[in-house]
Amino acid sequence: MSATSKNDIRTARRTTANRKRIPDTSEEKSTREMILRQALELINTRGMVDFRIDTLASSLGLSPGNITYHFSRKEEICTALWEQYLSEYRAIERSLTTLFDLKQFYLLNRIGLRLNYKYRGVLVFRGSDVGAIARDREAGRSNEAEHAAISRRILGLLGRNGYLNDRTTDQITEGIHTYHYIASQWGVNFAYQTYAPEEVESKLDYLALLSIHALYPTLSAKGQKEFGEILDRVTSGNLLEGEPV
């Protein structure tokens, strides 16, 4: 055997040994994601109070130790889901374009409400846990500031694209920010108070429309026409017919 071949073999053996020493994190990541998906489903259906590590493990066919390897307490799972929610919420801003219209604004509200519905159990818990509220005070303020920045950008784009009338003052705009923030944060909670649980998801399109009602007095003729088109599509239940709203 030539010296070159021997060197190649030694190199291959060292490479194989090194691969064995490098931990494979892909499986760990996959298990963690599976845990979070199932945990979210259980928290949404049972609530955080009745959510337990052993129940989660049993539903996944895992031992409790497999869960606590990734999350030592159920509160850590909730925190991870909360961070996941915030990450998905922030991604909404990246969908904004300069060619912005009222239909896009409706879609953003619809996406936001469906995101709140997806994480409803986590949002309810975070909103009722005094400790979490205290810990997240700064994060909450930051989230509100981000929401206000998105809202201001949206209204600026609507104004520049001819959807708002000339009487829309800064004071009115700030009032709309406040209304929109409250409507988007509490829409799903309102729906659960108003409708049967199995009806809530089907009502999110109406809630998305409701969250832009505050804009109506500020709309130009062009804006009112488009608002009417959205209203007709939502109330007729034909959101998926023709071009998507």
Side-chain angles (χ1 to χ4, degrees):
M1 182 181 294
S2 67
T4 302
S5 298
K6 290 179 180 179
N7 287 336
D8 289 343
I9 291 172
R10 282 195 292 269
T11 300
R13 286 174 177 170
R14 282 198 299 270
T15 301
T16 301
N18 287 337
R19 283 174 181 165
K20 290 179 180 178
R21 285 196 294 269
I22 298 173
D24 183 7
T25 59
S26 60
E27 186 175 345
E28 287 187 13
K29 182 178 179 182
S30 176
T31 301
R32 187 179 189 278
E33 291 172 348
M34 178 179 65
I35 290 170
L36 289 177
R37 280 196 302 272
Q38 183 66 7
L40 181 59
E41 183 175 339
L42 291 175
I43 292 171
N44 281 343
T45 55
R46 301 186 179 198
M48 190 65 181
V49 174
D50 295 326
F51 171 64
R52 298 172 57 87
I53 292 287
D54 55 354
T55 305
L56 173 61
S58 176
S59 69
L60 289 170
L62 300 174
S63 70
N66 289 131
I67 307 295
T68 54
Y69 173 80
H70 296 276
F71 305 98
S72 62
R73 300 181 301 124
K74 69 177 187 177
E75 288 78 11
E76 288 185 10
I77 296 176
C78 189
T79 298
L81 287 170
W82 172 251
E83 291 171 353
Q84 191 171 285
Y85 162 78
L86 290 178
S87 176
E88 291 186 40
Y89 185 83
R90 292 182 185 116
I92 294 175
E93 184 180 14
R94 293 195 287 272
S95 66
L96 295 178
T97 67
T98 55
L99 300 174
F100 198 75
D101 59 23
L102 209 60
K103 290 179 181 178
Q104 286 176 285
F105 189 32
Y106 169 78
L107 278 175
L108 286 174
N109 282 277
R110 191 180 179 202
I111 292 168
L113 279 169
R114 290 191 175 277
L115 188 60
N116 288 353
Y117 179 76
K118 175 183 175 182
Y119 289 93
R120 58 193 180 276
V122 175
L123 293 178
V124 168
F125 173 71
R126 301 292 291 193
S128 60
D129 180 359
V130 176
I133 292 171
R135 289 191 301 273
D136 293 343
R137 185 177 291 116
E138 290 305 317
R141 288 173 180 165
S142 175
N143 188 40
E144 286 183 26
E146 288 180 17
H147 189 286
I150 294 173
S151 182
R152 289 188 181 96
R153 185 179 170 198
I154 286 172
L155 288 174
L157 291 170
L158 288 174
R160 287 193 291 275
N161 291 324
Y163 289 91
L164 303 182
N165 59 45
D166 296 334
R167 300 185 302 277
T168 306
T169 65
D170 290 342
Q171 186 176 5
I172 292 173
T173 300
E174 288 304 311
I176 292 172
H177 294 327
T178 303
Y179 174 88
H180 184 255
Y181 181 77
I182 293 172
S184 61
Q185 291 295 310
W186 293 101
V188 174
N189 287 349
F190 167 79
Y192 269 99
Q193 294 293 324
T194 307
Y195 310 116
E198 63 274 12
E199 294 180 300
V200 173
E201 189 171 9
S202 67
K203 301 297 183 180
L204 297 181
D205 291 327
Y206 293 93
L207 293 172
L209 180 66
L210 180 64
S211 68
I212 63 174
H213 261 82
L215 273 178
Y216 194 81
T218 70
L219 295 177
S220 63
K222 176 182 178 181
Q224 290 180 9
K225 179 178 181 296
E226 199 156 293
F227 184 90
E229 292 172 1
I230 299 170
L231 178 63
D232 289 342
R233 295 281 287 279
V234 172
T235 55
S236 67
N238 292 328
L239 282 168
L240 301 180
E241 292 186 8
E243 294 184 8
V245 171

